[in-house]
Amino acid sequence: SAVISQKPSRDICQRGTSLTIQCQVDSQVTMMFWYRQQPGQSLTLIATANQGSEATYESGFVIDKFPISRPNLTFSTLTVSNMSPEDSSIYLCSVGTGRNGYTFGSGTRLTVV
Amino acid sequence: GESVGLHLPTLSVQEGDNSIINCAYSNSASDYFIWYKQESGKGPQFIIDIRSNMDKRQGQRVTVLLNKTVKHLSLQIAATQPGDSAVYFCAETGYNAGNMLTFGGGTRLMVKP
């Protein structure tokens, strides 16, 4: 299975600023997924990022707030823009095919003050 | 400390006992199901999966049972060990979901020595 390197592992940010999270995969993958895990809760899909096309966002998430880049088949970034304390969460990237399991990065723990 | 699992239902078992974690899934069209384990400060780790054409699958010390009639999934852990303490999530997907995972609410497993 793929190995994902996600960074930063954690950050404390001032409200109104932006943070870009990076995920590097050790193999080429078509689909990458970005999730949010709010404190004490399960994972919620933010968007699906395929190389060469615009990311597809789930209900409640918009591109202006969570812009995503997918420049090649091994890399993606998620930016959390104009942050507020409500954005404090763990953000995770994932890759998978739907038939052989999905692998997750170690997550980015974001605290907005 | 890590906030994953802070507000989730908790299952407390004695070391050496068997654990059963239950999950109700939502989409009757889902055809692929996965159990994940999430330890503090880490991303979800794949434990075991099952496809909808099966009702039981066994791994090392773990068994997944699928009841499609009532849309219920369970994870059985034999001879539970302290290292099994974590939050456990079920996830579902299917072709009509674009291979995107939908996660269940999660259960925190605490193993008492």
Side-chain angles (χ1 to χ4, degrees):
Chain A
S1 60
V3 176
I4 302 175
S5 174
Q6 182 174 346
K7 58 182 181 182
S9 59
R10 57 179 61 219
D11 207 342
I12 301 173
C13 300
Q14 295 290 323
R15 67 179 68 199
T17 63
S18 297
L19 175 72
T20 296
I21 302 166
Q22 300 179 5
C23 272
Q24 179 75 51
V25 189
D26 69 344
S27 58
Q28 294 185 337
V29 294
T30 302
M31 302 177 77
M32 291 185 73
F33 306 92
W34 286 97
Y35 289 84
R36 181 176 71 184
Q37 187 175 25
Q38 294 178 300
Q41 297 187 28
S42 187
L43 285 75
T44 300
L45 181 66
I46 297 172
T48 303
N50 292 337
Q51 195 269 336
S53 62
E54 292 278 331
T56 302
Y57 289 82
E58 296 301 301
S59 177
F61 299 97
V62 295
I63 187 170
D64 290 346
K65 177 66 175 177
F66 298 101
I68 288 171
S69 78
R70 185 79 204 275
N72 57 54
L73 291 172
T74 64
F75 187 79
S76 180
T77 68
L78 170 78
T79 298
V80 186
S81 304
N82 188 25
M83 289 183 285
S84 66
E86 291 71 33
D87 295 319
S88 297
S89 289
I90 300 170
Y91 293 86
L92 301 119
C93 62
S94 173
V95 300
T97 64
R99 289 297 172 259
N100 292 295
Y102 293 75
T103 303
F104 285 81
S106 55
T108 296
R109 182 178 175 83
L110 171 63
T111 302
V112 184
V113 297
Chain B
E2 189 62 51
S3 61
V4 171
L6 187 65
H7 304 299
L8 298 174
T10 298
L11 174 65
S12 185
V13 301
Q14 200 70 39
E15 180 179 0
D17 288 351
N18 297 332
S19 302
I20 299 176
I21 300 171
N22 296 303
C23 177
Y25 64 92
S26 56
N27 189 347
S28 57
S30 293
D31 61 5
Y32 182 53
F33 306 88
I34 310 171
W35 277 102
Y36 285 95
K37 172 185 180 183
Q38 188 177 26
E39 297 173 286
S40 292
K42 298 183 179 179
Q45 299 170 271
F46 174 93
I47 301 173
I48 191 168
D49 59 3
I50 189 168
R51 305 189 194 287
S52 59
N53 61 350
M54 304 173 68
D55 53 21
K56 180 179 180 179
R57 189 164 187 228
Q58 289 184 288
Q60 187 176 13
R61 278 202 311 120
V62 295
T63 301
V64 55
L65 299 177
L66 174 64
N67 185 330
K68 295 181 288 294
T69 302
V70 295
K71 292 189 289 186
H72 184 268
L73 202 63
S74 69
L75 176 70
Q76 300 177 1
I77 304 174
T80 313
Q81 303 168 1
D84 295 326
S85 294
V87 177
Y88 290 81
F89 295 99
C90 68
E92 59 179 302
T93 189
Y95 178 76
N96 68 342
N99 293 322
M100 294 177 294
L101 283 178
T102 299
F103 278 81
T107 298
R108 184 175 183 225
L109 176 65
M110 295 180 62
V111 182
K112 297 177 288 187

